[in-house]
Amino acid sequence: MENDGFIVIEGIHKNPNNIDTLDESSKIVHGPYNKKKASELAKTLNQKNIDNFYHRAWVVNKDIQTDNICEECKKEDASVKQNLIMHSYKICNSCNLAKTIFPL
Ligand SMILES: [Zn+2]
């Protein structure tokens, strides 16, 4: 279902601004939900854990879970997932940089 493609991942992070630093042993996955429900749940979880700086919940398109392949260079890179969440581009950091310098 197109509308059911979102999961919420919560857990403890080394860097709460980077989902890739999530501690796997603390990871809890909720869903899948539609985007609205997922956003609401993530917000609730973040508010509930507001005292813990390292705890964070993310809304993630569940397709991202299995795929870290950059659309530009077709290489697998951990930064692809992060860039997709942050900027909605399925791209690795090196291609992202190249694109910034040489726009298409
Ligand atoms: Zn790339």
Side-chain angles (χ1 to χ4, degrees):
M1 289 282 275
E2 196 186 344
N3 283 339
D4 251 12
F6 295 87
I7 56 173
V8 177
I9 297 175
E10 65 166 317
I12 310 298
H13 298 68
K14 283 197 185 70
N15 172 359
N17 293 315
N18 186 347
I19 193 171
D20 287 330
T21 66
L22 173 67
D23 178 355
E24 285 291 324
S25 64
S26 71
K27 180 174 166 183
I28 303 169
V29 180
H30 307 268
Y33 305 112
N34 63 38
K35 189 167 191 182
K36 186 167 178 281
K37 181 113 196 287
S39 307
E40 281 166 7
L41 179 63
K43 206 171 140 195
T44 306
L45 291 169
N46 282 332
Q47 278 166 356
K48 203 169 74 180
N49 294 287
I50 201 149
D51 293 337
N52 186 343
F53 179 72
Y54 296 100
H55 186 284
R56 181 139 184 201
W58 302 84
V59 176
V60 176
N61 185 322
K62 71 176 162 42
D63 297 336
I64 301 169
Q65 284 294 294
T66 51
D67 189 350
N68 256 332
I69 311 288
C70 171
E71 281 188 345
E72 292 288 318
C73 63
K74 311 292 178 200
K75 283 182 200 150
E76 189 168 0
D77 192 283
S79 63
V80 174
K81 188 166 70 178
Q82 186 69 13
N83 282 329
L84 185 53
I85 293 166
M86 304 296 277
H87 314 296
S88 309
Y89 295 120
K90 203 160 171 248
I91 195 169
C92 71
N93 278 345
S94 40
C95 290
N96 194 23
L97 189 67
K99 232 185 164 110
T100 310
I101 300 167
F102 307 108
L104 293 176

